């Protein structure tokens, strides 16, 4: 059951963040899609998801990747999109330091270009070193970089806090990245 949930969660991430057209759906400007449309389209394309399972994934998901609208008729991903959706997030003052987990192989490029959002809308930053470390392991041998979020905010960069606690910003210039602690967890 755990594996099934993981597979369905990955499928939902693909559809709700990156490629709704794969099953003939469109997200609205704020990233929402009707739950009935999602479940019907998924079934037509070979992935049967009951409403009960969807509820368990939305409410039980460790990272709270998805959210229902207040009336529970619509669903969207809380962050991580490559599609241009407006999640209606309010700029929020960040803590003094945030963390970014990445792979050692990306360091030369990060040193020259800063942290880029790559295929997503934002650079993803974590409130704790431990969370960042876990994110970094997804790409290979990980490193955790410290970001001077306070300095960035003072310089006018905007930060947003997603509904599931991920800090988002458009770009982190290299002068706000601390590389010297890169090998520690
Ligand atoms: C790296 C997961 C070269 C960046 C996680 C990262 C997160 C650069 C990779 C969410 C670079 C992009 C996002 C540069 C950044 N040169 N590489 N200048 N700037 N990079 O997956 O932050 O499980 O798009 O360090 O928990 O790893 O999907 O971003 O290694 O919250 O819900 O380019 O995805 O959430 O990789 O992860 P990603 P990410 P979910």
């Amino acid at each position: 059951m755990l594996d099934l949930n993981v597979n369905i969660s990955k499928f939902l991430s693909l559809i709700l963040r990156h490629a709704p057209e794969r099953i003939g759906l469109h997200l609205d400007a704020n990233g929402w899609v009707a739950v009935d449309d999602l479940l019907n389209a998924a079934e037509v394309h070979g992935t049967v998801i009951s409403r009960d399972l969807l509820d368990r994934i939305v409410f039980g998901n460790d990272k709270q990747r998805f959210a229902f609208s207040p009336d529970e008729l619509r669903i969207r991903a809380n962050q991580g999109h490559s599609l241009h959706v407006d999640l209606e997030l309010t700029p929020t003052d960040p803590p003094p330091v945030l963390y970014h987990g990445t792979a050692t192989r990306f360091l030369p490029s990060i040193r020259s270009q800063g942290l880029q959002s790559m295929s997503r809308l934002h650079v993803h930053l974590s409130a704790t070193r431990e969370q960042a470390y876990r994110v970094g392991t997804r790409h290979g041998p990980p490193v955790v970089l410290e970001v001077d979020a306070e300095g960035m905010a003072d310089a006018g960069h905007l930060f947003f806090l997603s509904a599931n606690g991920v800090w988002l910003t458009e770009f982190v210039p290299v002068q706000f990245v601390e590389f010297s602690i890169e090998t520690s967890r």
Side-chain angles (χ1 to χ4, degrees):
M1 189 44 128
L2 192 62
D3 282 353
L4 173 68
N5 286 359
V6 169
N7 285 341
I8 300 281
S9 184
K10 286 191 172 163
F11 172 79
L12 292 172
S13 289
L14 173 73
I15 299 303
L16 296 176
R17 291 169 169 178
H18 309 296
E21 72 283 354
R22 294 264 181 106
I23 59 169
L25 289 177
H26 296 283
L27 309 184
D28 77 9
N30 305 121
W32 297 105
V33 68
V35 173
D36 286 348
D37 292 350
L38 171 67
L39 299 184
N40 288 336
E43 184 163 353
V44 166
H45 288 79
T47 302
V48 178
I49 311 169
S50 68
R51 176 65 202 234
D52 182 55
L53 177 57
L54 187 69
D55 284 354
R56 275 185 280 142
I57 287 171
V58 171
F59 296 119
N61 185 272
D62 56 337
K63 283 186 66 182
Q64 300 287 304
R65 289 186 177 88
F66 315 105
F68 288 127
S69 55
D71 60 10
E72 298 195 7
L73 293 176
R74 294 174 302 152
I75 185 170
R76 74 177 176 187
N78 280 327
Q79 38 71 224
H81 299 77
S82 54
L83 291 172
H84 280 263
V85 299
D86 175 7
L87 295 174
E88 306 151 287
L89 298 173
T90 314
T92 304
D93 283 339
V97 173
L98 286 168
Y99 301 91
H100 181 82
T102 187
T104 49
R105 67 196 158 96
F106 296 144
L107 286 175
S109 173
I110 293 171
R111 279 182 199 280
S112 73
Q113 299 170 1
L115 288 169
Q116 309 266 358
S117 62
M118 309 307 274
S119 65
R120 303 189 195 250
L121 293 184
H122 298 99
V123 176
H124 288 220
L125 301 168
S126 305
T128 69
R129 192 173 278 282
E130 289 71 25
Q131 285 167 350
Y133 188 86
R134 278 197 295 277
V135 174
T137 57
R138 292 161 51 255
H139 300 287
V143 300
V144 174
L145 304 174
E146 261 185 38
V147 171
D148 175 9
E150 189 171 30
M152 281 182 64
D154 288 347
H157 291 263
L158 296 181
F159 287 81
F160 306 90
L161 185 56
S162 76
N164 61 337
V166 177
W167 284 93
L168 306 169
T169 194
E170 227 167 74
F171 166 60
V172 180
V174 72
Q175 67 266 30
F176 297 106
V177 181
E178 175 60 71
F179 289 93
S180 61
I181 42 75
E182 66 194 32
T183 51
S184 63
R185 206 187 253 234

